[in-house]
Amino acid sequence: VYDASENIALNKNQPQVRLLKSATSTIEMQYNVGDRLLFTGMSGNYATIVTDVPTGNKTITFDFINCMDADSNYYPVVITGTQTWMADNLKTTKYNNNTAIPLVTDNITWANSTTPAYCWYNNDETTYKDLYGALYNWYTVNTEDICPVGWHVPGDDEWKTLEMYLGMSQSDADAAGSRGINEGDKLKESGTEHWVSPNTGATNESGFSALPGGYRNFNLGSYNDLRIFTGFWSSTEYSSNSAWYRTL
């Protein structure tokens, strides 16, 4: 049993939303001891996701945090340990100073680019924008102006903090190319609505709800692995034209 004054959804992908009229209203729901519950609190354009394994009656508190990009897209946020992450993929077409990011659709131009660029998977904004967000090259990320004001692309150390919060050891987090299978499962949206079957092991117990938006090959400009793969940039440079990143 929990108290709240806004809409509550138990799961972002299969919401069970009830409007609570006051802070003393309650909703009873099936619960087995040890279950991890995922809560989404919503207030206007704001949404915050938290997860919890209750051991008794308690109040779930939602801190609503502004996360709006230069295109006025609002993003839900998810609290994981001491960190707060965006819970949807970025889809802005502008830097946070309102300057337009160049849209590159041609494969050869993308492959040869040494300047900022973004695209939509298969150049199909209508189908892929809202669900999977945009794809950005390293030169765009490296400007440090791509995120909403007050937000930033995580550094490699911040990714390690998330990995260790999910159970990875320090030595594995520090190892280049480390495969955190269990930690990855905790980040992936469960089920096969978006990930290809069988998506075995995915629990999304972090509330991160990672989706398989595919990628665009930086050598060929081709689009690949929608519903199979996703990659996340870090802001930590690896070479002059790339950076450390994470994949699922």
Side-chain angles (χ1 to χ4, degrees), residues 23 48 70 80 136 140:
T48 298
T80 57
Y136 302 92
T140 308

Side-chain angles (χ1 to χ4, degrees), residues 19-125:
L19 180 62
L20 306 181
K21 295 181 179 180
S22 73
T24 59
S25 298
T26 61
I27 295 176
E28 294 184 1
M29 52 191 168
Q30 182 178 346
Y31 177 71
N32 298 314
V33 174
D35 283 351
R36 179 176 293 275
L37 302 182
L38 187 152
F39 302 92
T40 302
M42 292 172 284
S43 179
N45 291 316
Y46 302 111
T48 298
I49 300 166
V50 296
T51 63
D52 190 72
V53 182
T55 57
N57 291 347
K58 69 185 305 179
T59 297
I60 301 295
T61 301
F62 298 98
D63 294 322
F64 294 110
I65 302 168
N66 184 38
C67 190
M68 183 188 76
D69 66 28
D71 285 336
S72 298
N73 298 305
Y74 285 88
Y75 300 88
V77 302
V78 57
I79 309 298
T80 57
T82 60
Q83 295 178 312
T84 303
W85 295 78
M86 294 171 59
D88 279 348
N89 289 340
L90 192 67
K91 53 190 173 185
T92 185
T93 65
K94 301 174 185 174
Y95 297 112
N96 56 30
N97 61 9
N98 284 315
T99 302
I101 304 169
L103 173 65
V104 174
T105 58
D106 179 72
N107 288 1
I108 295 176
T109 303
W110 181 273
N112 292 331
S113 180
T114 57
T115 56
Y118 84 96
C119 60
W120 311 107
Y121 193 90
N122 273 351
N123 297 323
D124 187 345
E125 176 181 356

